[in-house]
Amino acid sequence: MVRIIIIGYMGAGKTTVGKALARTLGLPFYDLDWYIESRMHKTVPQIFAERGEEGFRQVERNMLHEVAEFEDVIISCGGGTPCFFDNMAYLNTQGETIYLKATPEVLYKHLQMGKTVRPLLRDKTPDEMLAFITSQLGQREPYYCQARHTLDVNLLDSYEKIRISVQRIREELHL
C-alpha cells in the first residue's frame, strides 16, 4: 500500500508535483482543497467567507481524515493543513509525508504567476504579500519540518525540473 502526502506552503508546487508523481506511479491523485470543494459543493474561498478560517479548518480536518484513509494514492494538502489540530502528527501516521520547501521569494514569484485567488493573500500589495509569506512561512515551517522527507523546490520552473523532482521522490521512497 502506497500513501504519499505532500505538504508545503501555498505556491510550492504541491499539486504540480503530486499530479506528476501520481501519473508516473499510476496512482490516483487527490488535492485536499479540490476534495473539500467537491464534497461541500462550494469553493474554498466561499467556505472561508461563510465560516471564517476556524470554520474552514474544521471542515478541512474532517475531510483530511476521509482522504487520508484512501489506499494507493498521492495526496496534496493545503498550505495550512499541517499547522492545525493534530494534523501533522496524523499525516505522519498515515503515510510518507514530503515537505516541498522553497524560499519566500520563490513562493512569492509562484503565487504572482498563479491563476487562482488565495483567500489569505487577497487585497495585499506586492510588498505586503512578500512580508505576509515570509512571516507565515516562519510560523508554519516548524510543522512542515516534521515531514518524513524534504524536497527543495526552489528551482521548480520547468517540466524537466518537475520530472527530476518526481524522480528524486521515487528514489527517496524506493518506488
Side-chain angles (χ1 to χ4, degrees):
M1 197 259 321
V2 176
R3 188 180 294 128
I4 300 169
I5 304 160
I6 302 172
I7 66 167
Y9 198 76
M10 61 182 145
K14 300 178 299 288
T15 299
T16 301
V17 170
K19 281 179 170 178
L21 182 61
R23 267 193 311 276
T24 301
L25 297 176
L27 295 173
F29 171 74
Y30 290 89
D31 177 291
L32 183 59
D33 284 347
W34 298 348
Y35 185 79
I36 291 167
E37 290 180 349
S38 170
R39 294 273 284 113
M40 299 297 292
H41 305 288
K42 294 180 181 179
T43 66
V44 168
Q46 286 172 323
I47 299 168
F48 255 83
E50 290 174 9
R51 299 181 183 213
E53 185 173 11
E54 187 175 323
F56 170 76
R57 295 299 176 193
Q58 188 61 55
V59 168
E60 179 182 57
R61 180 177 188 263
N62 294 340
M63 298 294 113
L64 173 65
H65 280 256
E66 278 184 29
V67 79
E69 294 292 326
F70 298 170
E71 295 184 355
D72 297 318
V73 295
I74 310 297
I75 301 165
S76 78
C77 295
T81 306
C83 309
F84 293 87
F85 307 104
D86 63 345
N87 290 350
M88 193 63 230
Y90 174 73
L91 290 170
N92 278 327
T93 67
Q94 292 304 106
E96 294 293 338
T97 50
I98 301 170
Y99 168 31
L100 299 188
K101 182 177 179 133
T103 65
E105 293 76 18
V106 167
L107 295 168
Y108 171 78
K109 286 178 191 168
H110 290 178
L111 290 165
Q112 285 286 87
M113 292 185 297
K115 296 178 179 85
T116 58
V117 176
R118 311 285 179 142
L120 295 174
L121 298 178
R122 187 177 311 137
D123 302 326
K124 288 187 174 28
T125 67
D127 286 344
E128 290 170 338
M129 194 167 139
L130 180 58
F132 179 82
I133 292 166
T134 301
S135 172
Q136 194 173 56
L137 182 61
Q139 295 165 10
R140 291 180 174 187
E141 191 124 44
Y143 297 96
Y144 297 157
C145 288
Q146 293 174 41
R148 295 172 189 254
H149 310 276
T150 299
L151 180 66
D152 183 324
V153 292
N154 278 310
L155 297 175
L156 197 65
D157 58 1
S158 70
Y159 290 118
E160 178 61 15
K161 289 176 183 168
I162 293 166
R163 187 194 65 72
I164 291 167
S165 293
V166 166
Q167 186 57 38
R168 285 173 48 204
I169 291 170
R170 291 186 69 185
E171 289 168 6
E172 177 86 15
L173 300 180
H174 308 289
L175 299 172

